[in-house]
Amino acid sequence: MIEAGFWGFVGGSALILGATIAWFVTLPQRLIAGIMAIGSGVLISAVAFDLMDEAFQRGGFDSTAIGFLGGALVYTIANIAISKKGARHRKRSGSNVDESQPGADSGGGLAIAVGALLDGIPESVVIGVSLLGGTGVSTVTVAAIFLSNVPEGLSSAAGMKKAGRSARYVFGVWIGIALASGLAAMLGNVALATAGPDIIAAVTAVAAGAILAMLVDTMIPEATEATHDYSGLIAVVGFLLAFILTKSGG
């Protein structure tokens, strides 16, 4: 349980790293979009080759398919709810005034924080589940989550800064999410310690579905904002990086 919490925090701490970079360094929008495209490719690879493949091997097609669709559905419903409260563009860096985060004086701060938590929890649960096999944490899973969280934190924090959010708010959100990631990994590990393979498969697939839905809803729009001609190629590089990690073991 403690190990799961530690690795969950490690994965979530990348959000703090990304936010720190965005707060102290003003990066060109094309660079932010490119970094987000790499993160998108990494997560797509992790969903395909780590999560879905693992879920299928554990529980077969039925548990995997039900969990995958269920995770996407639950995430979408929750995302629509918080988007209406002001968190629709929580991953945007603010380059597009029509798709920027709401200003600090217009509220929506709590919804943005909740949205960030919603985006991070599925990834953390996966880390906790990966320890149930008794062979230690999946370094590939942790690495993929870490690599994808850096651009998430970077882009979102850049948008928060442009919206006039204070340093206390920005770093409070991401430190809180990192701690919550560790807690979610712990809870996932404990709650599923005695679960059968079908349940574990379904939960893994739920996380995969939620992550893929999050990618399309919040990360890919930012990735294509300023790198239209190159975003696909950049995402492929991220995908290949995660694919190499997967096939090299861990």
Side-chain angles (χ1 to χ4, degrees), residues 46-58 64 247:
V47 167
F49 293 104
D50 294 322
L51 305 186
M52 289 297 285
D53 189 56
E54 174 68 19
F56 179 76
Q57 291 182 24
R58 283 182 179 269
T64 301
K247 296 307 179 183

Side-chain angles (χ1 to χ4, degrees), residues 63 108 227:
S63 298
T227 59

Side-chain angles (χ1 to χ4, degrees), residues 61-151:
F61 182 77
D62 53 349
S63 298
T64 301
I66 292 171
F68 190 60
L69 291 173
L73 178 62
V74 170
Y75 175 86
T76 299
I77 293 173
N79 186 52
I80 290 173
I82 61 173
S83 292
K84 291 181 178 179
K85 301 294 184 180
R88 179 178 300 279
H89 303 303
R90 60 187 178 277
K91 293 288 178 66
R92 306 309 295 269
S93 62
S95 64
N96 186 337
V97 295
D98 295 325
E99 296 182 350
S100 300
Q101 298 182 30
D105 57 352
S106 63
L110 178 60
I112 292 173
V114 172
L117 181 63
L118 173 68
D119 297 337
I121 291 302
E123 302 169 353
S124 304
V125 171
V126 167
I127 292 177
V129 172
S130 75
L131 281 160
L132 294 177
T135 58
V137 72
S138 169
T139 55
V140 172
T141 300
V142 174
I145 291 172
F146 189 93
L147 289 173
S148 64
N149 275 345
V150 171

Side-chain angles (χ1 to χ4, degrees), residues 26-44:
T26 301
L27 299 176
Q29 174 57 30
R30 291 179 70 86
L31 178 58
I32 294 176
I35 294 173
M36 190 66 97
I38 290 177
S40 298
V42 167
L43 273 185
I44 291 172

